[in-house]
């Protein structure tokens, strides 16, 4: 089959790799119908040193079950399924707590002999635990929306869950990338009243307004903080959703959060230390969030897509064939595209 | 009156200062009956550069109202009252949220013309908001226990509240100082089932066992982390209460917290940065806590003292007169005493 491999920064290739086969009785093999490129794929795309053992890329996909191992009970060939961006047994103590990202048997796509999502086929470990059936056909117009269940919609939702966003809340979303926009959708779903979106790309923030942002702050740094404080009686918002992963975004989050408030970070941190000393201690700021256990939220969020009340698939503004995936990486890295769909 | 002044590291003096008088109509003047030395007083005691404008020390006291300003409604001369370690109007938006430490009119004892608690008399700003009446006499044996409402009991309780400790929980308390021991009491009050106390001073950890610790881990660093993991099926505890304020204690907290768990820090941080990058992000660790709004908890905790079900005053293992307060600082700094009561 064909699959996406990253050999070095700016060196994405589509190559022939061995066809995935059932290896364990809990595996399934899935023919990928739709996948996409994630903002987090851009970090290695920008920085990976050259390697002769390239990374298998992609962790968001949906597809059709082709074959199942002898112990798979809940799936049969022909099922259309979505995969969360980490696989898990969905039965261990962490999974039962809704923390499938810490599953004792789980792991990431594209490493340790597991396929990536930007390819034609994937072997799925712990298929019963990992995959969720989609009650639509392969030709459904909702597929791009449903694909967001694999990562960004659940990641934005995780930000709101861990921050404790509730009805009537005032929330700041830092970052107008796909995850930030999904966080706007999620904050709206949970009944937030004021949703301030911090971002400076008008095309994206306009979409954010469509998704439910009540205010947009294009300024950054001190100026951006002052604008948010102006919008919130000087105090900042009780909940801040940090959807970038860079230190500056986190500093900005501390600037716009109200005393006693919570910052939830769901952008994968590209830093190792957080300035979080005596001053923020005196303000009783909570720092929460983390990698989203997407699997925990898929069944909860799917009905909102099926009934048309949310359209998270609108973040996809370009569709490419698998053979052209490198163009997709470049388009997202150059901010020509917000998020790129891949059709194998 | 006589009051405790800190001129430099290891230079505590008791000197004559002007008698406090009503300055604002919301003030009260309180004759101090009992005060004490806080672990946090030791930070400047160890490090303050010499100054000619010495710091007025002390922020934990109880006493008798001697005089009230014209707008004070809820107190009359003769009332026995306890003061939380920060004063507040108890009416602003933050106070109504139970975050009196962020009160828009509030502040700290011993600065900006407000008296410290280690003296004979104190002017109390916003007396109606700050002070809480004690339903006992000046000769009550419960006074040392009730004095802990001004700081350590509420601080330990704040750790459990912000960490979300609940019935049946498994909790690690890092630190066997007075706040750590108060956190043990608080975790027990909230129904924690397993309370692991990390500390290496046997006299203190023995008291911790009396207060409700189910396990004591004397080892530190990697060895201590391994011991806690042994006690918790390899996973660590869901809640960790960091009651020290040093970087090593925080690192230890990250080591003993379960994935998806919460660290609440109530030890005043003596560091500015926290190592809290990608690894802990992948573990979904929450870092919460902060300076305790003691005022928010006094009424809730007092009944447990009055009915004898908790005896937090047992942390006091030495009593000195105000004139001997410097000996108290040295005894606590040298770890000869756990916490020192001061009788003016």
């Amino acid at each position: 089959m064909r699959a996406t491999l990253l050999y070095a920064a700016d060196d994405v290739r589509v190559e022939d790799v061995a066809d995935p086969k059932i290896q364990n009785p809990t595996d399934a093999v899935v023919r990928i119908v739709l996948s996409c490129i994630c903002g987090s794929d851009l970090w290695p795309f920008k920085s990976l040193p050259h390697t002769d053992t390239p990374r298998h890329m992609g962790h968001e996909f949906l597809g059709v079950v082709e074959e199942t191992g002898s112990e798979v009970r809940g799936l049969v060939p022909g099922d259309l399924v979505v995969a969360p961006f980490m696989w898990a047994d969905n039965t261990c103590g962490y999974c039962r707590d809704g923390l499938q990202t810490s599953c004792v048997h789980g792991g990431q796509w594209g490493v340790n002999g597991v396929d990536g999502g930007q390819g034609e086929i994937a072997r799925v470990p712990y298929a019963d635990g990992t995959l969720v059936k989609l009650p639509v056909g392969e030709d459904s117009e909702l597929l791009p929306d449903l694909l967001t269940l694999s990562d960004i919609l659940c990641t934005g939702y995780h930000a709101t869950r861990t921050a404790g966003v509730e009805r009537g809340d005032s929330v700041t979303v830092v970052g107008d990338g796909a995850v930030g926009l999904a966080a706007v959708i999620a904050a709206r779903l949970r009944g937030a009243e004021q949703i301030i979106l911090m971002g400076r790309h008008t095309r994206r923030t306009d979409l954010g307004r469509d998704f439910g942002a009540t205010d947009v702050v294009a300024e950054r740094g001190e100026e951006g903080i002052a604008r948010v404080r102006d919008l919130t009686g000087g105090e900042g918002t009780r909940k801040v959703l940090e959807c970038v992963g860079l230190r500056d975004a986190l500093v900005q989050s501390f600037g716009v959060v109200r005393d006693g408030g919570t910052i939830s970070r769901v952008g994968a941190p590209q830093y190792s230390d957080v300035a979080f000393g005596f001053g923020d201690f005196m303000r009783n700021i909570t720092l929460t969030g983390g990698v989203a256990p997407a699997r925990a939220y898929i069944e909860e969020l799917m009905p909102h897509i099926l009934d048309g009340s949310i359209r998270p698939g609108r973040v996809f503004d370009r569709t490419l064939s698998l053979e052209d995936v490198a163009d997709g990486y470049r388009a997202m890295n150059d901010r020509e595209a917000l998020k790129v769909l891949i059709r194998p």
Side-chain angles (χ1 to χ4, degrees), chain A:
Chain A
M1 70 147 176
R2 304 287 283 170
T4 302
L5 303 176
L6 183 68
Y7 279 84
D10 204 22
D11 184 3
V12 180
R13 306 180 203 170
V14 178
E15 295 188 346
D16 287 322
V17 300
D19 277 353
K21 304 215 175 310
I22 300 290
Q23 293 180 16
N24 301 306
T26 49
D27 287 349
V29 168
V30 171
R31 172 175 57 81
I32 295 174
V33 171
L34 206 56
S35 71
C36 58
I37 303 173
C38 183
S40 68
D41 293 332
L42 299 180
W43 301 121
F45 179 75
K46 284 190 241 212
S47 64
L48 189 73
H50 176 80
T51 172
D52 291 324
T53 53
R55 258 195 224 192
H56 291 244
M57 300 298 290
H59 53 257
E60 296 155 274
F61 64 94
L62 53 78
V64 175
V65 174
E66 295 219 313
E67 195 186 347
T68 57
S70 59
E71 291 178 14
V72 174
R73 295 282 170 267
L75 299 164
V76 293
D79 284 343
L80 186 69
V81 291
V82 65
F85 70 90
M86 287 180 72
W87 47 271
D89 66 18
N90 213 23
T91 58
C92 79
Y94 290 109
C95 287
R96 288 195 307 271
D97 281 355
L99 197 69
Q100 285 86 347
T101 45
S102 288
C103 174
V104 295
H105 296 117
Q108 301 190 31
W109 302 104
V111 294
N112 301 325
V114 178
D115 304 293
Q118 292 160 8
E120 291 180 301
I121 309 176
R123 178 177 69 88
V124 177
Y126 293 95
D128 273 333
T130 302
L131 298 170
V132 181
K133 274 198 261 193
L134 297 172
V136 299
E138 211 180 312
D139 56 348
S140 166
E141 287 184 357
L142 295 177
L143 290 202
D145 299 293
L146 293 164
L147 178 60
T148 66
L149 291 168
S150 70
D151 187 340
I152 62 160
L153 183 61
C154 294
T155 294
Y157 189 66
H158 187 56
T160 63
R161 280 281 295 251
T162 51
V165 173
E166 51 194 29
R167 192 154 297 284
D169 249 335
S170 177
V171 178
T172 303
V173 176
V174 178
D176 60 7
V179 169
L181 297 176
V184 170
I185 292 174
R188 176 74 177 277
L189 266 184
R190 292 179 70 86
E193 202 162 88
Q194 183 180 36
I195 303 173
I196 302 171
L197 175 60
M198 301 192 81
R200 55 181 185 164
H201 304 91
T202 314
R203 216 154 40 102
R204 300 177 179 196
T205 55
D206 284 352
L207 186 54
R209 287 190 197 271
D210 283 0
F211 284 164
T214 54
D215 303 275
V216 168
V217 170
E219 295 85 352
R220 288 181 165 192
E222 287 306 317
E223 208 181 337
I225 292 167
R227 282 268 294 128
V228 172
R229 291 193 168 258
D230 281 350
L231 290 166
T232 55
E235 294 185 346
T237 57
R238 288 170 196 263
K239 314 288 163 67
V240 177
L241 314 180
E242 195 283 282
C243 302
V244 178
L246 294 174
R247 189 184 300 271
D248 283 354
L250 191 61
V251 169
Q252 194 154 294
S253 300
F254 276 102
V256 300
V257 70
R258 185 178 188 268
D259 281 16
T262 301
I263 299 167
S264 177
R265 51 177 195 168
V266 292
Q270 304 301 304
Y271 49 79
S272 56
D273 291 327
V274 174
F276 196 23
F278 192 74
D280 297 306
F281 174 84
M282 291 300 291
R283 297 179 59 210
N284 270 279
I285 305 303
T286 294
L287 188 52
T288 187
V291 62
R295 183 64 187 81
Y297 306 132
I298 292 178
E299 285 96 338
E300 181 180 349
L301 293 171
M302 197 188 304
H304 300 286
I305 293 174
L306 296 174
D307 71 12
S309 59
I310 62 173
R311 294 296 311 270
R314 290 182 64 198
V315 297
F316 295 110
D317 54 357
R318 190 166 299 190
T319 303
L320 295 172
S321 72
L322 178 59
E323 295 302 321
D324 296 326
V325 68
D327 291 341
Y329 275 79
R330 283 183 205 111
M332 282 178 62
N333 198 43
D334 297 344
R335 296 184 183 274
E336 284 167 24
L338 169 52
K339 194 167 173 75
V340 174
L341 270 181
I342 306 294
R343 291 191 188 277

